[in-house]
Structures are given as C-alpha cells and as structure tokens.
Amino acid sequence: MPSNEGFATIIRNYRVLIVGGSYGGLSAALALIDLCAGRLARFNSNADSKPPQRQVPVQITVVDERDGFYHLIGSPKALACDKFASKTWNRFKDIPALQSPNMRFLRGSVSSVNCQEKSAQILDLETNETVEESYDFLLASSGLRRVFPTVPQSLLRHKFLEEARGHQEEIRSARNGVVIIGGGAVGVEMAAELKELDPKQKVTLVHSRDRLLSAEPLPDDFKDRVTSVLREAGVEVILGRRVIDTTAVETEGEKQAWNLTLSNGTQIKAGHVMNAVSKSVPTTSYLPQDALTQDGYVNIRSSLQFPTNIPNADHHFAMGDIASWTGIKRCGGAMHMGHYAATNVHQVMLSERFNIKPEFTTLNNFPPVIGLALGNTAVVYTPDEGTRDGEDLMTIMFGEDMGYTSRFILKIIS
C-alpha cells in the first residue's frame, strides 16, 4: 500500500514552464495540452499515429514580454498597411485555442533559471516585481532580440498599433521616396511590400554586398531571381555599396528629409530611411552558460533536450530560433520543433508516471529552404525543386494574409 505522500506525488499536476509565446512556444503548449488529455497533437501529420492511452495532469505557464501572439511573418506588411496591422497581433486572452484551465499566461521576462533546483526568476511586467516559478519541465523558446523594422518594439497590442500607424504616416509623407538599407529577408520583403501598396512611391534598396541575401546559405540563382523580381516591380536595387553617412536636411513642404552618402561617393535623397541591417541576438542570458554556444544559442540534442552536462538536462528543452540547429531560422521550423519538444516532454512524463519506456522523436537536419513574399510574387527555394517564383506560389505559400490563416497558424489562433 503506497504512502499518502507517494499518492500525492502521483496525482500532482506536472508543472511546465514555457519561455516565449510565439510560434515554437505556443505550438509546444497546445501539442502538450492535447497529448496530456489523451488526444493526438493537433500538429501531428503521421496518419498512423494513435492517441495516447493514458492522461497526464499538467499545468502550463507561458511567459512572454508581449501581451499576445505577433505574426512575425507578416511584419513587413503590418508595418506598412494599417488594415493588416490590426490582424497581425492578437492578445493571448483573445485567442480561443489558448483558453484552457491547464494554461496560464504571465507577461514577464525570465531573468535566471536554476536547472538544479528547477526554478526560474521572473520579472512580472504588470507588477514590476520578481517572482519565483518552480517547474518540472522548462521549454525555452524566447527567440532572438530583433530591432525595428524586423519586429515592432512595442510589448502591448495597442502600443503596437500606434507604432505601426506612426511608421505608415512617415512612409506616406516621404515625398523624396523611401530608402531601405540592408538586403536581407526583411529588407527585400519590405521594399516589395511598399512598392505593392503604393506603386507611385519611389523605393530604393541599398545592400553592401554584390548579391542580396548574402548572409544566407542559398544558391546564387535564388538571390539573382529575388533581385530581378524587385526590379521588375519598380524597386531600385543598389548592390555593392555601403551607406557611410546619413544626414538630415531641411526640405520645404516635407516633415524631414535625408541625404545618404554611399561608399562610392554617390548621394541619395530620401524622405524616409529604414535600416534593415541588424544582427539578431539570442535571448538566452537567463540560461546557464554551459548550455550555450559561443554565440549564445542553446546546444540541443536531436531530442531538443539540453546537453547532458546540464543538471536535469532531460527536463530542459529548447526550440525555435534560440536552438543551435541546421537550416535557416524560420517560423515553420520553430513550430515543428515545438511539436517535437512537446512530444518528448510527454514521453518523459509517461516514463516517470507509468514506467513506460520513452520513445523520443528526434530532429533531422533542416535543409536550407526559404520562401519570400515579394509583393504579389513569391520566390521559393528548396534543395529538391530549386528556385521557383510566381503569383501562384504566393497564393499557395502565403495566401492573402501572409500565411496568417494557413493550416498551421490556424491551429494556434483558432
């Protein structure tokens, strides 16, 4: 006959702390809710899968600085189009799929994690007080620290809408055109979006390298096709030139204007300048240094668990952009990792609670794949099919709302 203490341990909810409420964090939370309730995870794509035979009591806490889910894929369009901006950010409390008695949201920032004690120090942004949160499992999915215009800097939905409207007004009033500095994914999508929304607006994209998307492991024909699509849309693309000086000048009838000096001495005048050059930084300062690479990414195993040198490593997982893994950082990849992390957390729970041998789902290497929305055309690369582009691909890949109501995102927001 087990003791009362043992019985209490058996019926206690597993406490799961998820750091980050974006693609990876929410997909993990929802998949874990499903599995613990004895259902197939909503992200499951294996037709042969069967629902779990046992239920596991779980309580999930999601910590995020924002008050809602921000559709990062749609950022270039949201910051340029007022109508689209309001659809891009949904508060957690307004998303039906997240309204579960087994899930709560804390708007805050994790300052430190003690893997040995399984506890986290969290700054509650509503009360401005630090609270301690104990957990049985930690899933780190806090993403990268990105600057504007890659992502808005606001943490509240109504502040984001104000930020977006202010940005849109600056674009509309830029009589001398808009210059975007930096030809990465954000820069090229923003340039195309601005030209699509206002074909009469002069849009110039300046990139310091000889090809766009120079930092990505992609073939030259893909990068060249992106350049061609932009130029066909009316965007002026300047390659191999660095902006070495930006000076504000007085212009009659315009709120503000700028003179940009390029590395070859050429000068460009602009009514609005957007800097899309930034080095995104992993938000992993709260994690033990022994779990991180030199660049601050989490060294995960193929099961998404922390490296074995970390205390309680099997109860700590990382996914999404902060995980050190192959491939290009993508929202789809983060959701895939979130589903796998939840599956493996559930396996550990079953092992501990019912003495069932865990069967982990492991990641394969991610190949370099990408899809860019350039106005009404998508340019896509996969190793199997190479570079493709077209309006039909835009419909397939992004629909009419930058993928917001795609079958994957719908499983998060509906």
Side-chain angles (χ1 to χ4, degrees):
M1 175 72 74
S3 66
N4 288 336
E5 180 180 354
F7 181 72
T9 301
I10 291 175
I11 65 171
R12 179 176 68 78
N13 285 359
Y14 272 111
R15 301 161 301 179
V16 178
L17 178 62
I18 298 179
V19 186
S22 192
Y23 300 96
L26 293 187
S27 62
L30 291 169
L32 194 54
I33 288 287
D34 290 339
L35 293 168
C36 288
R39 302 187 296 264
L40 281 175
R42 67 195 69 194
F43 302 97
N44 180 70
S45 59
N46 185 350
D48 297 326
S49 296
K50 296 180 180 179
Q53 298 301 301
R54 300 174 186 267
Q55 296 188 19
V56 179
V58 65
Q59 184 64 47
I60 298 173
T61 299
V62 180
V63 180
D64 197 286
E65 294 178 344
R66 296 191 180 108
D67 69 353
F69 169 70
Y70 178 67
H71 184 45
L72 181 63
I73 298 171
S75 207
K77 186 168 186 174
L79 292 171
C81 174
D82 184 55
K83 184 178 179 180
F84 186 72
S86 62
K87 300 178 181 179
T88 308
W89 187 309
N90 280 277
R91 295 179 300 177
F92 295 125
K93 67 179 183 179
D94 296 330
I95 300 175
L98 304 180
Q99 308 315 306
S100 166
N102 302 106
M103 194 186 315
R104 73 181 181 104
F105 287 84
L106 174 60
R107 198 170 79 83
S109 175
V110 178
S111 54
S112 66
V113 164
N114 186 326
C115 296
Q116 181 69 56
E117 300 295 329
K118 293 184 181 178
S119 67
Q121 298 294 316
I122 304 171
L123 174 63
D124 187 325
L125 296 178
E126 300 292 348
T127 65
N128 207 33
E129 295 180 354
T130 298
V131 296
E132 182 174 358
E133 185 83 14
S134 296
Y135 60 83
D136 298 301
F137 293 90
L138 176 87
L139 283 72
S141 185
S142 48
L144 306 180
R145 185 70 65 189
R146 296 179 170 96
V147 298
F148 185 88
T150 306
V151 296
Q153 301 304 292
S154 306
L155 301 178
L156 301 171
R157 184 179 186 274
H158 72 278
K159 291 291 185 182
F160 156 68
L161 294 176
E162 291 176 5
E163 182 181 0
R165 281 192 291 268
H167 180 62
Q168 292 152 16
E169 178 56 34
E170 288 181 334
I171 293 171
R172 282 192 293 266
S173 62
R175 297 180 185 175
N176 283 295
V178 178
V179 172
I180 299 169
I181 304 171
V186 173
V188 300
E189 287 193 329
M190 181 65 77
E193 190 60 45
L194 293 180
K195 199 66 180 177
E196 173 75 9
L197 291 171
D198 186 359
K200 295 181 180 179
Q201 177 69 275
K202 181 182 179 182
V203 178
T204 304
L205 178 64
V206 181
H207 188 58
S208 61
R209 305 293 183 177
D210 292 334
R211 280 191 167 93
L212 298 174
L213 300 146
S214 51
E216 301 294 358
L218 296 164
D220 289 346
D221 74 303
F222 174 83
K223 300 173 182 180
D224 292 343
R225 188 61 192 132
V226 170
T227 305
S228 297
V229 169
L230 287 176
R231 285 175 170 160
E232 289 165 8
V235 176
E236 182 179 352
V237 181
I238 300 175
L239 299 173
R241 299 289 182 265
R242 187 180 301 278
V243 177
I244 60 175
D245 183 64
T246 303
T247 305
V249 295
E250 291 186 10
T251 301
E252 186 177 350
E254 187 160 18
K255 291 183 179 179
Q256 195 166 26
W258 307 87
N259 274 340
L260 286 76
T261 303
L262 306 186
S263 52
N264 67 342
T266 301
Q267 290 200 334
I268 303 174
K269 182 174 287 188
H272 183 58
V273 179
M274 298 172 59
N275 191 341
V277 178
S278 67
K279 180 174 174 57
S280 301
V281 180
T283 57
T284 53
S285 58
Y286 59 94
L287 295 173
Q289 287 296 311
D290 290 346
L292 308 179
T293 68
Q294 270 192 326
D295 295 325
Y297 295 90
V298 183
N299 259 320
I300 58 169
R301 291 174 271 166
S302 60
S303 60
L304 291 104
Q305 292 164 308
F306 277 24
T308 54
N309 61 309
I310 301 301
N312 295 308
D314 289 352
H315 291 72
H316 292 79
F317 294 73
M319 59 224 174
D321 289 353
I322 65 169
S324 178
W325 201 251
T326 57
I328 296 170
K329 303 293 186 185
R330 298 182 304 114
C331 300
M335 294 176 70
H336 180 71
M337 293 172 116
H339 170 54
Y340 275 26
T343 301
N344 292 339
V345 167
H346 184 247
Q347 286 294 307
V348 177
M349 290 177 174
L350 293 178
S351 172
E352 293 179 345
R353 201 156 287 245
F354 304 111
N355 199 28
I356 298 173
K357 183 179 179 180
E359 297 181 3
F360 291 133
T361 303
T362 55
L363 287 175
N364 294 319
N365 287 336
F366 288 172
V369 299
I370 194 170
L372 295 177
L374 304 180
N376 61 4
T377 300
V379 184
V380 178
Y381 171 78
T382 65
D384 292 338
E385 299 183 271
T387 298
R388 296 173 296 148
D389 67 273
E391 294 185 20
D392 57 332
L393 281 175
M394 183 68 186
T395 301
I396 295 169
M397 296 288 296
F398 299 99
E400 296 181 353
D401 55 8
M402 295 300 293
Y404 191 66
T405 51
S406 72
R407 62 190 179 95
F408 294 110
I409 306 300
L410 272 177
K411 291 173 181 177
I412 288 179
I413 63 173
S414 62

